[in-house]
Amino acid sequence: MSAEPQPARRPGGRTRLISKRLWAATLEILAEKGVDGLQYEDLAARAQVARATVYRRWPNRGDLFRDILARFAEAFVPLHDSGDIHDDLVAFVYAFAEASATPEGRAVLQILMRKADESDGLREVALELLERRTDDLQRRLDAAAALGQLPAVDARFVNMMLAGPVQWFLVRRTRPFTRDDADKVVGVVLAGLRHGDAV
Amino acid sequence: MSAEPQPARRPGGRTRLISKRLWAATLEILAEKGVDGLQYEDLAARAQVARATVYRRWPNRGDLFRDILARFAEAFVPLHDSGDIHDDLVAFVYAFAEASATPEGRAVLQILMRKADESDGLREVALELLERRTDDLQRRLDAAAALGQLPAVDARFVNMMLAGPVQWFLVRRTRPFTRDDADKVVGVVLAGLRHGDAV
């Protein structure tokens, strides 16, 4: 940033302002046009910065997409262990729904839908991110199993059963996904895991 | 088609051939580039027909997209009533997974993810299509409830619980979705509906 004019006057102030404007422009474009609409020219124009500034921040679109994924990950809440597996999963599912309904969340889904070879390994970054969440979930499910609250279950399967319906709902977006919706999804899946014999 | 050269020589032959080539080109582009890659110029070049021929067939992209949706719908099998609700739902879920894994199926998901105002009412056509499937499902679930095999349940919720996991799985596509996967999903959901109290 030493090439920026008057860098010492408000230390970090101008950088922060530019960051803020660039991020606002990114979210605006994501909401309007999706991942494929993210063009540096448009970003620079909307954020009212030079195109070189955009390139300095994100030397290539892969860097920009990685930032979007990181923001999506930040919106997740940690998976708690309150002792009540139902409540903990409702919080987990609801937080996922909230994060997925944002422009970043929709962008992640669009990235996952692209062909692997056109995404600079981004699909893999997104999948790794979800994989880490699956590890958290496995620990929580194992703790519940150790207490006899559930049979031993595979977190990847359970995550598909919980997050799949949320994604299905959000893609159709006739109304927001509520905590009550999360409660119903978790209720059916937990009862099914306890009483089904197919898993 | 009366403007085509020698229309009477092989009645329907040339039209059928052009249809076949155009459809093959459509699927090729969908698989490679997704819905947004469907440009008439590219379609004409790949199908080796004049651009005017593409326009005659699909005066606008909305018409083309409607054809894609119709092909997706054709891939669905009817929802049977064999008396065994588990088996019938496994067949229903598996057929949905098969249809959704095709280029047309991925195109439908991409259409659903677009903003309503940029899709010429196509999102609505896709949602109507799924709504009709929900009506079929409701009738099958009601028949099972009448026999005491299930409590009374809302087909829209059940469809979300069944099709959501399939879509989640397919977007991540690490391997094909199998009939055994469908069996597990249906097993958990049916047991959950029978034993849960949240629905």
Side-chain angles (χ1 to χ4, degrees):
Chain A
M1 290 292 108
S2 59
E4 297 284 331
Q6 303 175 313
R9 223 181 86 206
R10 291 172 297 155
R14 184 171 155 76
T15 308
R16 260 205 303 277
L17 181 66
I18 287 176
S19 281
K20 217 172 140 183
R21 290 211 309 243
L22 273 174
W23 195 250
T26 300
L27 295 184
E28 196 179 291
I29 297 174
L30 276 183
E32 270 177 38
K33 304 184 179 176
V35 158
D36 293 316
L38 280 174
Q39 302 301 334
Y40 278 21
E41 192 140 2
D42 190 13
L43 259 177
R46 293 193 194 214
Q48 297 180 281
V49 300
R51 220 147 64 129
T53 307
V54 187
Y55 278 102
R56 205 154 42 226
R57 186 170 186 80
W58 296 303
N60 60 61
R61 280 159 53 89
D63 300 315
L64 168 55
F65 288 175
R66 268 182 197 84
D67 257 12
I68 294 170
L69 289 172
R71 293 270 185 151
F72 177 63
E74 272 172 29
F76 284 136
V77 295
L79 176 52
H80 285 296
D81 188 347
S82 71
D84 185 325
I85 182 70
H86 179 96
D87 284 358
D88 293 347
L89 290 184
V90 168
F92 179 75
V93 166
Y94 184 64
F96 173 74
E98 293 272 279
S100 300
T102 61
E104 299 96 307
R106 296 188 70 79
V108 170
L109 183 54
Q110 287 173 345
I111 288 169
L112 284 173
M113 288 189 56
R114 302 170 100 198
K115 290 179 61 119
D117 56 350
E118 60 174 75
S119 63
D120 313 314
L122 264 181
R123 244 181 79 72
E124 286 58 43
V125 177
L127 289 171
E128 263 173 52
L129 181 80
L130 297 167
E131 201 64 23
R132 250 180 291 142
R133 291 288 285 176
T134 310
D135 292 344
D136 288 351
L137 181 59
Q138 188 68 66
R139 274 189 292 276
R140 184 64 192 87
L141 293 169
D142 288 348
L147 294 171
Q149 297 169 343
L150 275 183
V153 285
D154 173 43
R156 204 173 299 195
F157 176 77
V158 175
N159 198 36
M160 173 178 84
M161 296 305 296
L162 293 173
V166 173
Q167 190 180 78
W168 175 267
F169 188 100
L170 291 177
V171 166
R172 283 146 191 82
R173 69 202 125 113
T174 47
R175 60 169 178 82
F177 187 91
T178 65
R179 196 172 280 272
D180 189 50
D181 293 317
D183 190 63
K184 283 182 186 162
V185 170
V186 170
V188 167
V189 171
L190 282 182
L193 293 171
R194 284 172 181 141
H195 297 276
D197 47 19
V199 182
Chain B
M1 289 292 108
S2 59
E4 296 284 332
Q6 304 174 309
R9 220 180 89 208
R10 290 171 297 154
R14 183 169 156 75
T15 308
R16 259 206 303 277
L17 182 67
I18 287 178
S19 279
K20 214 172 143 184
R21 290 211 310 243
L22 272 175
W23 194 250
T26 301
L27 295 184
E28 196 180 292
I29 297 175
L30 275 183
E32 269 177 39
K33 304 184 178 177
V35 159
D36 293 317
L38 280 174
Q39 303 301 335
Y40 278 21
E41 192 140 1
D42 191 13
L43 258 178
R46 292 192 194 214
Q48 297 180 278
V49 300
R51 219 146 64 127
T53 306
V54 187
Y55 277 101
R56 204 153 45 226
R57 185 170 186 79
W58 297 302
N60 60 60
R61 279 158 54 87
D63 300 315
L64 168 55
F65 288 174
R66 269 182 197 83
D67 257 12
I68 294 170
L69 289 171
R71 292 271 185 149
F72 176 63
E74 272 172 29
F76 283 136
V77 295
L79 177 51
H80 286 296
D81 188 347
S82 72
D84 186 324
I85 182 71
H86 179 96
D87 285 358
D88 292 347
L89 290 184
V90 169
F92 179 75
V93 166
Y94 185 64
F96 173 74
E98 292 272 279
S100 301
T102 61
E104 299 96 307
R106 295 188 69 78
V108 170
L109 184 53
Q110 287 173 344
I111 288 169
L112 284 174
M113 288 188 57
R114 302 171 99 197
K115 291 180 58 124
D117 56 350
E118 59 174 76
S119 63
D120 313 313
L122 265 181
R123 244 181 78 73
E124 287 58 42
V125 176
L127 289 171
E128 263 173 52
L129 182 80
L130 296 168
E131 200 65 24
R132 249 179 293 142
R133 292 289 285 176
T134 310
D135 291 345
D136 289 350
L137 182 59
Q138 188 68 66
R139 273 189 292 276
R140 184 64 191 86
L141 293 170
D142 288 349
L147 294 171
Q149 297 168 345
L150 275 183
V153 286
D154 173 44
R156 203 174 300 195
F157 176 77
V158 175
N159 197 36
M160 173 178 85
M161 296 304 296
L162 294 173
V166 173
Q167 190 180 79
W168 174 267
F169 188 101
L170 292 176
V171 166
R172 283 145 192 83
R173 68 200 126 113
T174 47
R175 60 170 176 82
F177 187 91
T178 64
R179 197 173 280 273
D180 189 49
D181 292 316
D183 191 63
K184 283 184 185 160
V185 170
V186 170
V188 168
V189 171
L190 282 182
L193 293 172
R194 284 171 181 141
H195 297 277
D197 47 18
V199 182

